[in-house]
Structure formats: structure tokens, C-alpha cells
Amino acid sequence: MIRVLLAEDMHMIRAALTALLRLEPDIEVVAEVTRGDEIVPKALRVRPDVAVVDIDLPVMDGITAAATLRERLPSCRILVLTAMGQPGQVRRALAAGIEAFLVKDAPGDRLADSIRRTAAGLRVLDAELVSSAMEYGESPLTPRESTVLKEAARGASAEEIAARLHLSPGTVRNYLTGAITKTGARNKIDAIRIAEDAGWL
């Protein structure tokens, strides 16, 4: 029996995935979580064979949580659920050592098969997804530019970012201008979109 932890924040999707897996005689969903920060504590308690992790989770993203899980519970294999429009996130996941991916709009029967292959230690990779991910290079942003852009993505103003990071508003604006230039964006909103799509944030 393959023991599975399922991490998905959307209730209907999680319920559908669980129902689908209950039809499989050799797979058991032993835990469900809705936030990234819940994955490791729950996995350490229930010791799943495979963690099926959505990339877009609240509090802590799925890639960060999956990378931590690999360190804390190496016996647990990880299958990341992703959208075709997130090649940058796949690049981040590959860099973190995650070797199994399933595209969210894949046919339903692929899930159980992918879990079995992941549990067996095999790589589960969508060739088109990985090829698209490899088109993105390393981030051109400095760590400080990335931090400022992340804060801006959360809706913080230059003044709020400055107070939070102990910088002057002018310095924050300079970092934002640098991020806009380096990403080839038209403005701050465009820079955030480009950096998020590329997996640089």
C-alpha cells in the first residue's frame, strides 16, 4: 500500500483528488493539508511514502515546503502538481532536487500512475514542461531587488517597504527601477509578473 499525503488548498480539487485515489486498491491517502507550512509537521507524524504537493499553497509555497520535506524525511518521495504556465516554478523545483511533476490538467488516470512511479523512485517529468522551464535563465535580480519586488507584489508601497527593510524610500525606488530594467518590464506590475512567471520570486 502506497501511503500518500495530499497538499492542496482548493477544497473541491483536493476532494476530487482524494476521491480519485480512493478508487485505487494500492493507494491510501493518509493525510490532507491545505497550507505549505503544514506539510512537514504532518508528514513527520504520518510518514507517507509520497507527498503530492501543489506549487501554489498559502503561507509557504509548495516548492519551499517540498525542499524542506526532502531534508527532514528523505524516505518520502515528492510529486509536484503544477500548471503549464509555470515553467519558472518548475525550474525552481528542479534546482531544489524535486524530480517528479504532474501537470494539473493531465488526464485523471495519470495521477495514480504517477504516484506509483514516484513511489518506485522513478522520475515523472513532462518533456514539454521541462523544456519550457529550461528556457528561463538564472535570475538577473540581486537578492535585495528580489526582496523589494516580493514586497511590492504583496501590495506594499515604497514607504512601507522602506520601513520594513530599514531603507529610505528613494533607495527602494532605485531597487524597483533596477528590477524593472533587468526584467525588461514596462513598469513595476509587469516586472512582478515577469519575475513570478520565471520563478525568480
Side-chain angles (χ1 to χ4, degrees):
M1 186 69 77
I2 301 170
R3 294 165 55 80
V4 172
L5 179 148
L6 183 59
E8 167 60 61
D9 64 318
M10 299 188 73
H11 177 73
M12 286 181 63
I13 294 175
R14 190 174 67 256
L17 294 174
T18 300
L20 195 64
L21 293 175
R22 283 196 178 125
L23 300 174
E24 303 297 328
D26 59 338
I27 295 174
E28 178 187 9
V29 177
V30 294
E32 299 177 31
V33 298
T34 59
R35 302 180 349 191
D37 63 326
E38 297 172 334
I39 292 174
V40 172
K42 181 68 81 172
L44 290 174
R45 282 199 299 275
V46 302
R47 318 294 283 192
D49 300 305
V50 177
V52 178
V53 179
D54 182 21
I55 280 185
D56 296 313
L57 292 172
V59 184
M60 178 186 290
D61 70 87
I63 297 171
T64 302
T68 305
L69 181 58
R70 283 188 82 242
E71 293 174 6
R72 299 286 305 279
L73 190 63
S75 62
C76 179
R77 304 286 297 173
I78 299 162
L79 174 64
V80 171
L81 297 178
T82 184
M84 281 300 292
Q86 297 177 309
Q89 297 287 27
V90 173
R91 185 181 176 86
R92 269 188 65 216
L94 286 168
I98 309 304
E99 298 179 331
F101 301 89
L102 182 64
V103 180
K104 275 191 168 184
D105 62 358
D109 57 356
R110 289 268 307 278
L111 178 61
D113 181 58
S114 295
I115 288 172
R116 291 184 187 101
R117 292 176 62 208
T118 301
L122 301 174
R123 300 185 87 180
V124 179
L125 300 172
D126 181 288
E128 184 182 345
L129 189 64
V130 173
S131 173
S132 179
M134 291 300 103
E135 290 176 14
Y136 284 90
E138 294 299 317
S139 173
L141 305 174
T142 65
R144 187 58 97 178
E145 286 167 344
S146 294
T147 300
V148 168
L149 205 56
K150 276 183 195 172
E151 292 293 331
R154 294 186 182 109
S157 67
E159 289 72 21
E160 290 169 333
I161 297 170
R164 218 169 281 166
L165 301 179
H166 308 292
L167 300 170
S168 73
T171 300
V172 167
R173 289 188 190 93
N174 287 341
Y175 282 128
L176 287 172
T177 299
I180 291 166
T181 302
K182 289 179 180 179
T183 57
R186 297 182 305 276
N187 52 42
K188 178 178 70 176
I189 304 299
D190 197 31
I192 291 168
R193 179 190 59 77
I194 290 168
E196 287 180 339
D197 286 350
W200 295 336
L201 294 184

